[in-house]
Amino acid sequence: MQTNHKIRNIAIIAHVDHGKTTLVDSMLKQSGVFRNAQNLDRVMDKLELERERGITIAAKNCALFYQGVKINIIDTPGHADFGGEVERALSMADGAILLVDASEGPLPQTRFVLQKALEAGLSLIICVNKIDRKDARPTEVINEVYDLLIDLDATEEQLECPVLYTIGKTGVVKKKLEDPDGDLTLLFETICQHIPGPQFDPKAPFQMLVSDLGYSDYLGRLAIGKVFNGQVGSNETLVCIGETENRPLKVSKLQVYEGMDFKEVNQIEPGDIVVISGLEEVKIGDTIATQAKPIPLPRIKVDEPTVSMLFSINTSPLAGQEGEFVQSSKLKDRLFKETLLNVAIEVEETDNKDAYVVKGRGEFQLAVLVETMRREGFELCVGRPKVILKKENGQTLEPMEMVFVDCEEVFMGVVTEKLSLRKGKMQTLVNNGKGRVRMEFLIPARGLIGYRDEFLTDTKGTGIMHSLFHGYAPYAGDIPSRFTGSLVADRPGEAVAYALFNLEARGQLFIKPGDKVYEGMVIGEHNRANDIDVNPCKAKKLTNLRASGKDEAVVLRPIIPLTVERALHFIKDDEMVEVTPKSIRIRKTVLSAQQRHVLAARAKKEAGNLKK
């Protein structure tokens, strides 16, 4: 095997909000890709949702040059639900920069991404970031990182990786805490010295593993991936090796990364990350090879999905009024297109030709998909997220999550009580004596669905909660999902302020005067556990008698607008979320009140027969 010393492929991995994308901004600026005068703010987060939420959702590539060495950088997501993106990105890397917050230390997703990097045999550089924070504790954090490396069975070489202290926002890197602030030159030098160049077999034919897909209006579908062996030129005839069949391919254009953009080349070197156009059908994990010797590379393997959700066309009385795409064929095409771009998502057809089961890593990942489709002009209905159960040796198993909670000491009781009701078991409790506590719970994934909003309310917005898939365990029994009922509209029409004012005593409303409603639409949360049918369209009776004083002006409490996540957290099993480009509504699966009462009576009778 030979090594290409002119290239370094490096992934930046970390927990969410530890500063990966900000560090990439500084690296691009100091390498000369952007002028120092340019104001960069998370330049790699190109998606609208990424910029709104301040998180990375999809892994993205860029490249910079340092003293004749090309450094390909892969910026990865830090949220647990987007772990499939991390696994996909690591297939292109030869090394990784592990970024850890100097105050928070290693968190659940740090463990996940580090484990994947160690399994891939990547060389590591540890960066303790945000050392300028007032509550920074870099010395303790680096000890926690070493404990984590030992716990994950790191090799001697991986344990002896270099450690740097950084401030990603201002582009400061130093070897020791007491050293004066320096620029990112030290980081670039460490990458060139400690991250090996990609290895290749000079005698092997051309092989490239497709790790990402793109699309160009001019070139069509783009296959992005790392060249493992061999060389290729433009206009050469190759073959795309899929799971079941091989498809011929003529390369129409070869491109490589240069800064944030693509640069056209006539020849590519082994080890580089390239963009090939000229394919009609290609999937992530396919191998592109020569026609003479089509040798496939091992496909990218990702962890199984743990949560499923039903996607169906919009069947409400208001369907088709606000969206551009409402047909089931459009919905099907869009969902299967998502499986091409996202290796962690699976789509299954159901007995109902208008509904599909979508499986993913977590409710947040599926909520982001729903929000993306909504902005693209789709109208759809989605059901409550459900965990995917397994059967082994006659026993039902369910996914478990390790939940990390950081909150003020006064909220410890309410958090412990709520999680124990949801079958959570405390594993560790650390009180550092500074007013905040850290707790870890092992809890069924079902128990976390709908809890995050409740957690923020209980901790008055000061709590931090992260979770990580832990494995499968025996089914833990029934978990209460919601202790309140729903206020359900009993007729179509427009909401009236007078009626809503009289309903406020019943619970929290989701609608405001003038909003359209229909029979079976959930207009609020009932204070009690049962559902009640209400009339939000009732107007005040007019008479020819008037008192000497004016009628009382109706003043309603302001409502909190529904978001996709909040609606998914709220709904019960017999409810759905209706999503359109302009509105988010909650509805009963069965709209007719009479039919719901008949079904409830039948279920009650069947339950009574089972007891007998």
Side-chain angles (χ1 to χ4, degrees), residues 190 226 306 311 340 368 425 439 486 547 598-599 601 603:
T190 309
K226 177 183 167 187
T306 57
F311 283 56
L340 295 176
V368 165
K425 295 178 181 176
M439 299 177 282
S486 300
V598 169
L599 291 171

Side-chain angles (χ1 to χ4, degrees), residues 467-493:
S467 62
L468 182 67
F469 175 65
H470 186 262
Y472 280 82
Y475 189 76
D478 291 336
I479 294 175
S481 61
R482 200 173 96 209
F483 297 100
T484 55
S486 300
L487 301 174
V488 188
D490 65 354
R491 69 197 67 199

Side-chain angles (χ1 to χ4, degrees), residues 277-305:
S277 51
L279 305 96
E280 286 301 319
E281 289 184 44
V282 62
K283 292 183 179 179
I284 291 173
D286 288 356
T287 301
I288 295 175
T290 58
Q291 278 192 332
K293 291 185 179 178
I295 304 170
L297 291 162
R299 292 188 74 84
I300 298 170
K301 290 183 180 178
V302 298
D303 293 343
E304 296 176 0

Side-chain angles (χ1 to χ4, degrees), residues 107 181 238 285 330 367 376 382 416 484 502 526 576 586 592:
L107 292 178
D181 290 355
L238 302 172
K330 297 281 186 185
E376 290 171 1
V382 291
T416 307
T484 55
N502 291 315
H526 189 204
M576 300 183 86
I586 298 174
S592 166

Side-chain angles (χ1 to χ4, degrees), residues 10-74:
I10 190 157
I12 300 187
I13 57 175
H15 188 85
V16 67
D17 274 343
H18 280 196
K20 298 178 297 299
T21 308
T22 309
L23 180 65
V24 174
D25 283 351
S26 296
M27 292 174 77
L28 289 169
K29 188 181 282 187
Q30 292 196 21
S31 66
V33 173
F34 293 97
R35 297 190 310 275
N36 287 329
Q38 280 183 277
N39 185 23
L40 300 184
D41 178 30
R42 295 185 291 115
V43 71
M44 293 289 278
D45 287 346
K46 297 175 185 175
L47 302 178
E48 188 182 347
L49 272 174
E50 291 180 321
R51 302 198 71 79
E52 279 180 20
R53 295 167 185 266
I55 61 169
T56 302
I57 292 172
K60 289 173 279 301
N61 300 52
C62 65
L64 54 88
F65 289 87
Y66 177 75
Q67 293 184 351
V69 177
K70 182 180 183 182
I71 302 174
N72 286 310
I73 300 172
I74 307 144

Side-chain angles (χ1 to χ4, degrees), residues 139-151:
T139 309
E140 294 169 49
V141 164
I142 200 64
N143 289 333
E144 290 172 11
V145 173
Y146 281 126
D147 290 342
L148 181 58
L149 281 165
I150 292 165
D151 193 30

Side-chain angles (χ1 to χ4, degrees), residues 329-445:
S329 59
K330 297 281 186 185
L331 177 65
K332 178 182 177 181
D333 292 345
R334 177 63 182 84
L335 291 176
F336 279 98
K337 179 186 171 186
E338 188 67 24
T339 62
L340 295 176
L341 301 171
N342 195 329
V343 288
I345 282 192
E346 296 176 11
V347 177
E348 289 180 4
E349 298 189 31
T350 64
D351 296 336
N352 180 356
K353 62 179 174 52
D354 294 332
Y356 304 90
V357 173
V358 180
K359 298 178 178 179
R361 288 286 179 84
E363 56 187 298
F364 181 56
Q365 182 190 26
L366 297 176
V368 165
L369 173 59
V370 173
E371 180 65 34
T372 306
M373 291 174 66
R374 174 187 173 223
R375 294 182 184 204
E376 290 171 1
F378 282 86
E379 274 195 28
L380 65 152
C381 285
V382 291
R384 178 176 165 81
K386 296 179 180 178
V387 299
I388 299 169
L389 304 177
K390 274 185 176 181
K391 284 271 187 183
E392 274 187 22
N393 303 324
Q395 192 177 30
T396 303
L397 303 178
E398 66 174 331
M400 302 293 287
E401 299 268 338
M402 184 63 78
V403 178
F404 170 92
V405 174
D406 184 325
C407 67
E408 291 182 19
E409 204 171 336
V410 290
F411 303 126
M412 185 173 74
V414 67
V415 171
T416 307
E417 181 192 355
K418 292 280 180 76
L419 286 174
S420 61
L421 281 173
R422 294 165 176 264
K423 309 287 184 184
K425 295 178 181 176
M426 188 185 287
Q427 306 294 304
T428 58
L429 169 63
V430 178
N431 190 337
N432 56 16
K434 294 180 181 176
R436 290 186 76 87
V437 293
R438 289 187 172 202
M439 299 177 282
E440 280 184 27
F441 293 85
L442 191 61
I443 184 171

